[in-house]
Amino acid sequence: MQADMREPDSTQGVITMLQAIGGKWKPLILFILLNEGTKRFGQLRRQLTNITQGMLTNQLRELEQDGLIVRRVYQEIPPKVEYELSEHGRTLKTVLGEMCTWGYRHLDFLNGEKVSAGPSER
Amino acid sequence: MQADMREPDSTQGVITMLQAIGGKWKPLILFILLNEGTKRFGQLRRQLTNITQGMLTNQLRELEQDGLIVRRVYQEIPPKVEYELSEHGRTLKTVLGEMCTWGYRHLDFLNGEKVSAGPSER
DNA sequence: CGGTATCCTAATTGATACTG
DNA sequence: CAGTATCAATTAGGATACCG
């Protein structure tokens, strides 16, 4: 760990990270590809139940342009397109894993530590 | 490490994480408080050079409500308000550190690896 | 099946002015 | 100094229809 900490106090690294995978769907797409490997367009669409075709296409294109995923097109009928993490995309494994782990820890915090903080009336 | 991985394949953890610190400024605010400790309102405002008063107040309030930071008000003239990470907020150290590290790695990738990676024939 | 194009709404963001 | 309130601008996100 700590392979590269040239400016630990600078927000530059965090800013770059947010620009690359900061959207609403990108972390989820990357997380699925990381855990389940290569996926077809339709498979991703089914798993991200609330996403629309247009949004999924858009997010996948941006991830591809950032070099995080690879798009493989099979020239056949019916069409078949597969997506998978690139070599560089796989370096996200640690970050995404930590994000997931902390998310669960935060859920515990919200459920356990806040017993005296009344229901969320909205 | 890997203290809690109850559903590694589920996106639940990532979703929770995004809801808690998913904004544009929150990771930066938390990162600064993590690395530099307690900060006054004006200090944060100076470091986040592009943020407006309203935005900073809004983000700090949400972070406070999520139990990630602590707001300490000094009843004096002129007013003085300090912010610092809560106990729970400090558990973000690993995640934020990984985010920063990966961001720098991504910068290297964008600047260096792309000279020979021309197979993106679209 | 896997897109693309268009339009639309809602959430973020930012500038400005005012207050205790 | 540290807010609060308001409004305008931008952007992200989403529904629908059509195409190769």
Side-chain angles (χ1 to χ4, degrees):
Chain A
M1 331 292 195
Q2 314 293 7
D4 187 357
M5 292 289 279
R6 64 198 95 169
E7 298 278 1
D9 292 344
S10 167
T11 53
Q12 193 58 36
V14 178
I15 290 173
T16 302
M17 163 98 181
L18 291 174
Q19 288 173 345
I21 70 166
K24 172 181 179 180
W25 296 106
K26 284 177 187 174
L28 300 178
I29 294 170
L30 294 166
F31 192 72
I32 290 173
L33 292 179
L34 177 72
N35 284 316
E36 309 184 25
T38 303
K39 287 277 178 183
R40 293 185 61 172
F41 184 88
Q43 289 179 304
L44 282 173
R45 195 185 166 196
R46 280 195 58 187
Q47 277 190 265
L48 305 165
T49 46
N50 301 327
I51 203 171
T52 57
Q53 270 191 338
M55 272 304 299
L56 182 54
T57 299
N58 179 38
Q59 300 296 292
L60 289 171
R61 286 293 178 285
E62 290 185 10
L63 289 173
E64 187 193 7
Q65 282 172 24
D66 275 330
L68 296 174
I69 64 174
V70 175
R71 180 169 177 258
R72 184 172 298 123
V73 182
Y74 296 86
Q75 289 297 350
E76 48 186 68
I77 302 296
K80 179 178 169 185
V81 179
E82 287 181 340
Y83 296 90
E84 62 180 338
L85 286 185
S86 66
E87 188 86 17
H88 177 54
R90 275 182 225 111
T91 64
L92 281 164
K93 175 174 177 134
T94 308
V95 199
L96 290 174
E98 285 295 337
M99 286 173 65
C100 181
T101 300
W102 188 87
Y104 282 123
R105 192 193 302 216
H106 187 54
L107 275 180
D108 283 343
F109 173 76
L110 293 178
N111 290 327
E113 315 282 286
K114 227 164 59 172
V115 278
S116 58
S120 53
E121 69 292 334
R122 53 154 292 170
Chain B
M1 330 326 171
Q2 312 289 9
D4 187 356
M5 290 289 282
R6 64 197 95 168
E7 297 277 0
D9 292 344
S10 168
T11 53
Q12 191 59 37
V14 177
I15 289 172
T16 302
M17 164 98 180
L18 291 174
Q19 288 174 343
I21 70 167
K24 171 182 179 179
W25 297 107
K26 286 178 186 174
L28 300 178
I29 295 171
L30 294 166
F31 191 72
I32 291 174
L33 293 179
L34 177 72
N35 284 317
E36 308 183 26
T38 302
K39 286 279 177 182
R40 292 186 60 172
F41 184 87
Q43 289 179 305
L44 283 173
R45 195 186 166 196
R46 280 194 58 186
Q47 278 190 265
L48 305 166
T49 46
N50 301 326
I51 203 170
T52 57
Q53 271 190 337
M55 272 305 298
L56 182 53
T57 299
N58 179 37
Q59 301 296 291
L60 289 170
R61 287 292 179 284
E62 290 185 10
L63 288 174
E64 188 191 7
Q65 282 172 24
D66 275 330
L68 295 174
I69 65 175
V70 175
R71 181 170 176 257
R72 184 173 298 124
V73 181
Y74 296 85
Q75 289 296 349
E76 50 185 71
I77 304 294
K80 179 179 169 184
V81 181
E82 287 181 340
Y83 297 90
E84 61 180 340
L85 287 184
S86 66
E87 188 86 18
H88 178 53
R90 275 182 226 111
T91 64
L92 281 164
K93 177 174 176 130
T94 308
V95 199
L96 291 174
E98 287 295 338
M99 287 173 64
C100 181
T101 301
W102 187 88
Y104 282 123
R105 192 194 301 217
H106 187 54
L107 276 179
D108 282 344
F109 172 77
L110 293 178
N111 291 327
E113 311 284 285
K114 224 161 63 172
V115 280
S116 61
S120 54
E121 71 282 343
R122 43 155 301 172

